[in-house]
Amino acid sequence: MKHILITGGAGFIGSHVVRLFVNRYPHYHIYNLDALTYAGNLENLKDIEHRDNYTFIRGDIKDKAFVDALFKTHHFDGVIHLAAESHVDRSIEDPLIFVKTNILGTIHLLEAFKALWMGSFQGKRFYHISTDEVYGSLGSTGLFIETTAYDPNSPYSASKASSDHFVRAYGETYELPYVLSNCSNNYGPNQFPEKLIPLFINNIINNKPLPVYGDGNYTRDWLYVIDHAKAIDVVFHNGENKETYNIGGCNEWKNIELVRLLCKQMDVKLGRPDGTSEKLITFVKDRPGHDLRYAIDATKIKNELGWEPSVTFEEGLSETIDWYLNNDLWLSHVTSGSYQDYYKKQYN
Ligand code: NAD
Ligand code: TYD
């Protein structure tokens, strides 16, 4: 029986990773450590919460004493670290919480893992989940590869870049066995409606304006979250020690084109005349420091580990919309309370 700690498992990507591991590896015990911030939601894991090989632990990675004690109690053989503050717009409002959770929190986990296994790292693994945003912005051509220099532009990406550097440093300095991956924008079920796709789905349902930042000509490379979870499984089990893998959808969309596709699909699913949702598009003030384009070259993970995306964007988007339409209770729970305050502040 292996003891695997997944941090941030009540969040968007983490919940899909927890589900995959609990179902696929009955001989592992999966511990999900999550502080249940605004972004963490145990409703994401209702289907697996009573499984014998699953334990939820509510706790904060910012709390060093708590993290140290947890590792001493459970002797985790592996860590898959997803817990983070993850939204760029929030990082612009309050950078400090990103420093505390994303940088300090990561170091607390590294320290606890080191204290537990230093001198006997054989068979152990620390997997740090990161983002392509650490590479900064591309111009209209080119792709991020694993050796692209870090050049983060937002407090969020700067905090993730810093945590990546600490993970590498623990590998070099203490021989701590790590793998790292940098992934492009995810979408799919259970994503908190502050990010582009679920925010716009929710607004279309409610006939609210769709706030497109700037001229909408910003480009992102979108990956279906379940494909990301499968990539994390492959990297955790088969990735080379001290290596980084870029994970991406090979699926670039300008925001405005993505939003138009979303509007078309939503009109069909909601039985509204074609063009109804597009009328909600509203161009608003741009995000400061807005990165023009992200795009991943995922050749390394494909050639070395045999992973590639399995879902086309049209299929993934359609499944995502269906999920939100079928889970109106989930959506109404997460959009009540503090969400309304955030929305008013962010979008006036
Ligand atoms: P999310 O915001 O949906 O979930 C983050 C989870 O971490 C939440 O459950 C939250 O409660 C938990 N958390 C936050 N602070 C914590 C703390 N101090 N202690 C313990 N738990 C805490 O994020 P996500 O979109 O699922 O992203 C997960 C990871 O993947 C992050 O590290 C993010 O940087 C990375 N990533 C995300 C994307 C994306 O498109 N969403 C792309 C690439 C990489
Ligand atoms: P987001 O989902 O916040 O992800 P990230 O900033 O990590 O890429 O945003 C995706 C793109 O959509 C990004 O270019 C910003 C843009 N965007 C809008 O135009 N309006 C919005 O309300 C949001 C949240 C994002």
Side-chain angles (χ1 to χ4, degrees), residues 8 10-14 33-37 39-40 59-62 82-86 101 129-131 156 160 183-186 191 195 228:
F12 166 48
I13 302 170
L33 168 62
D34 199 295
L36 299 182
T37 68
D60 192 332
I61 60 168
K62 299 199 294 301
L82 296 110
E85 290 292 334
S86 68
T101 292
I129 307 298
S130 192
T131 166
Y156 164 64
K160 292 296 291 187
C183 188
S184 63
N185 285 63
N186 284 217
Q191 188 169 29
K195 306 274 166 57
H228 188 191

Side-chain angles (χ1 to χ4, degrees), residues 137-144 217-220 252 254 291-295:
S137 182
L138 290 164
S140 52
T141 59
L143 298 171
F144 295 133
N217 284 318
Y218 295 90
T219 300
R220 299 291 182 262
E252 286 184 53
K254 281 195 170 158
D291 286 331
L292 178 67
R293 177 170 163 259
Y294 306 139

Side-chain angles (χ1 to χ4, degrees), residues 170-188:
Y170 273 66
E172 292 306 313
T173 308
Y174 308 112
E175 289 303 326
L176 186 141
Y178 77 86
V179 277
L180 214 161
S181 58
N182 296 85
C183 188
S184 63
N185 285 63
N186 284 217
Y187 70 98

Side-chain angles (χ1 to χ4, degrees), residues 7-15 32-45 54 56-59 82-86 90 190-195 330 333-335 338:
T7 70
F12 166 48
I13 302 170
S15 61
N32 170 13
L33 168 62
D34 199 295
L36 299 182
T37 68
Y38 78 92
N41 185 350
L42 289 178
E43 285 182 45
N44 294 344
L45 291 165
Y54 172 71
F56 173 70
I57 301 163
R58 185 167 189 180
L82 296 110
E85 290 292 334
S86 68
R90 288 185 193 255
N190 307 93
Q191 188 169 29
F192 192 79
E194 63 185 352
K195 306 274 166 57
W330 183 95
H333 288 167
V334 301
T335 53
S338 63

